[in-house]
Amino acid sequence: MFRFLLVRIASAIPVLFVLSVVTFAIIQAPPGDYSDYIRSQLINQGGASFDEADAQANAYKIANGLDKPLPVQYVNWITGILTRGDFGHSLFYNKPVSEVVGERLPRTLALALVCHILASIIGITFGILAATRQYSWVDSLLSGISFLGMTVPRFLMALIIVYILVFHFNVTEINSFHSAKYGGAPWSWDKFVDLLKHVWPVIAIATFGGLAYNMRVMRGNLLDTLNAQYVETARAKGLSESKVILRHAVPNALHPLVMYQGVVLPYMLTGEIETAIIFALPTVGPAIVGSMWVGDVYVTATFMLVLSATLIVGNIIADMLLAMLDPRVRLGGGAHA
C-alpha cells in the first residue's frame, strides 16, 4: 500500500508543475498588472496627474519585479515556494500571500467538507431509494431532483436566495460568518447557531449540486449490481431483499462511487466558491475575484495552485480508498488519473 501511495504522489508532482505553469501564464495573459491599478487609484482618488501617477506606478512596478519577463517572474515565484515556502507578497493586502491563504482557505475547506459529507450521505441514500424503486413515483421524484441539481447554475440559486433574504425577510448581514454581536465573542452554542444562520445558503446550494451527482452515479451502479449473478444467488439462498441489497449489492456498487469522490471534492469547492462570491463571504472565492480584478497575481496564482492541488489530493485519496476496497487496483499498480 505504501508503494502504491508513493507511485501516486510521484505521478502527481509533474501534473502539479504543469498546472502551476499554465495557471501562472493564463493569469498573466490579460494586459495590465497591479501597477495599472495603482495608477488608476492615484488619478481617480488621489487627484494626481497622469504623469505623476504613471511615474509612481512605474516605480512600484520596478520595485516589485513586475517589469521582469514572465518566465523570470514564474521562476522567482516557484523557487520561493520550493526553497522557502514563500508564496510571494500580496500587493493588494500588503502582507505575505501565505497569510491571506491561511485566513481564507480553512473556512473554504471546512464548508466544502461539510457539503461533501452531506452530499455523499444524502446522495447515496437517494440513489439506493431510486434504484430499489425503479420507475416508481419515488424514482421519478428523486430523478427530478437530481436533474435540477445538475442543470440549475449554482450562482443562479445563490442570487435567488439573496433576493428572497434581502427583499422578503429584510436580512442585512449576508456577507459575513457572524452577526456583529458575535464577531469577537468566544465560541458558544449561540455563536454556532448564528454561524449556521449565515452559512446555510452556501451549504444548501453546494450540497444540492453534489447530492445530485452522487445520486445519479449510485442509482446507475446499483441497478447494474442488482442484476449481477451473485445477487441472484443471494436471493436464491433465501436472504431477505433488504439483506441482499445492503450486504451484497450496495458495497459493490460503491466502488465506482469511491473513484468518483476524487472529482466530487473539488466540485464541492467550486460550488462553495461560486456561492461565496455571490454572498461576499470572506473565503477563497471573493479573494480570487478581487485579486484578479486588481492584478494581484501572486494571490490569484497561489489560490489556483492550491485548488489544483486539492483536485490531485482528492484523486489520490479516492485511489487509496479504492485500493483498500479492491486489492486488484493495488496489485495492478494504479487507478484512474
Side-chain angles (χ1 to χ4, degrees):
M1 178 65 75
F2 183 70
R3 180 178 176 276
F4 179 78
L5 176 61
L6 288 179
V7 171
R8 300 303 298 150
I9 294 176
S11 63
I13 292 175
V15 175
L16 192 59
F17 170 72
V18 172
L19 285 173
S20 70
V21 174
V22 174
T23 299
F24 198 84
I26 292 176
I27 293 171
Q28 295 276 40
D33 51 37
Y34 190 73
S35 63
D36 296 301
Y37 173 75
I38 291 178
R39 183 186 298 108
S40 64
Q41 290 294 101
L42 289 172
I43 295 174
N44 297 328
Q45 298 185 12
S49 65
F50 178 82
D51 292 335
E52 294 173 340
D54 189 59
Q56 293 188 45
N58 287 331
Y60 186 91
K61 187 173 186 176
I62 295 173
N64 289 274
L66 300 177
D67 61 322
K68 296 179 180 179
L70 177 60
V72 175
Q73 292 187 46
Y74 172 78
V75 169
N76 291 337
W77 176 63
I78 202 69
T79 302
I81 295 175
L82 296 176
T83 59
R84 304 184 303 275
D86 181 12
F87 290 88
H89 191 81
S90 171
L91 307 176
F92 180 75
Y93 295 100
N94 194 28
K95 56 184 176 182
V97 173
S98 58
E99 293 186 12
V100 180
V101 175
E103 291 171 359
R104 294 174 177 263
L105 185 62
R107 303 167 185 168
T108 302
L109 291 177
L111 286 174
L113 185 60
V114 170
C115 297
H116 181 61
I117 293 173
L118 291 176
S120 298
I121 294 174
I122 299 173
I124 291 173
T125 303
F126 281 4
I128 295 173
L129 291 174
T132 54
R133 293 163 176 80
Q134 189 179 18
Y135 303 130
S136 68
W137 68 269
V138 174
D139 185 22
S140 299
L141 175 63
L142 296 179
S143 297
I145 294 175
S146 175
F147 175 78
L148 291 175
M150 290 186 294
T151 55
V152 178
R154 289 169 292 195
F155 75 88
L156 178 60
M157 289 189 281
L159 288 172
I160 293 173
I161 291 179
V162 168
Y163 178 83
I164 294 174
L165 290 176
V166 173
F167 292 100
H168 290 273
F169 293 97
N170 297 319
V171 176
T172 57
E173 297 175 331
I174 62 172
N175 61 343
S176 63
F177 283 100
H178 299 285
S179 301
K181 64 178 180 178
Y182 292 109
W187 278 102
S188 63
W189 176 253
D190 291 337
K191 185 174 182 178
F192 177 72
V193 172
D194 183 70
L195 172 66
L196 293 181
K197 290 180 181 179
H198 285 75
V199 302
W200 72 262
V202 178
I203 295 175
I205 293 171
T207 300
F208 184 55
L211 73 86
Y213 280 87
N214 278 300
M215 178 205 151
R216 179 177 62 86
V217 174
M218 186 63 190
R219 179 184 181 276
N221 293 341
L222 189 55
L223 285 175
D224 291 338
T225 305
L226 287 174
N227 294 322
Q229 185 175 359
Y230 64 87
V231 174
E232 296 296 336
T233 302
R235 289 194 180 105
K237 290 181 178 180
L239 294 178
S240 64
E241 188 65 17
S242 61
K243 290 184 178 180
V244 170
I245 294 172
L246 296 179
R247 291 186 181 180
H248 297 276
V250 169
N252 288 281
L254 284 174
H255 286 190
L257 195 62
V258 171
M259 294 174 56
Y260 179 70
Q261 299 309 300
V263 179
V264 171
L265 182 56
Y267 179 82
M268 292 292 100
L269 270 174
T270 57
E272 187 280 333
I273 289 172
E274 290 179 21
T275 312
I277 290 173
I278 302 299
F279 283 87
L281 290 174
T283 58
V284 167
I288 292 177
V289 174
S291 60
M292 292 182 67
W293 177 259
V294 300
D296 197 353
V297 60
Y298 296 120
V299 172
T300 309
T302 300
F303 274 126
M304 298 305 293
L305 182 64
V306 169
L307 294 178
S308 300
T310 303
L311 174 61
I312 294 174
V313 170
N315 278 299
I316 292 177
I317 293 174
D319 286 340
M320 294 298 296
L321 292 175
L322 187 62
M324 293 172 62
L325 291 173
D326 191 347
R328 292 173 299 177
V329 175
R330 185 168 63 251
L331 295 174
H336 75 293

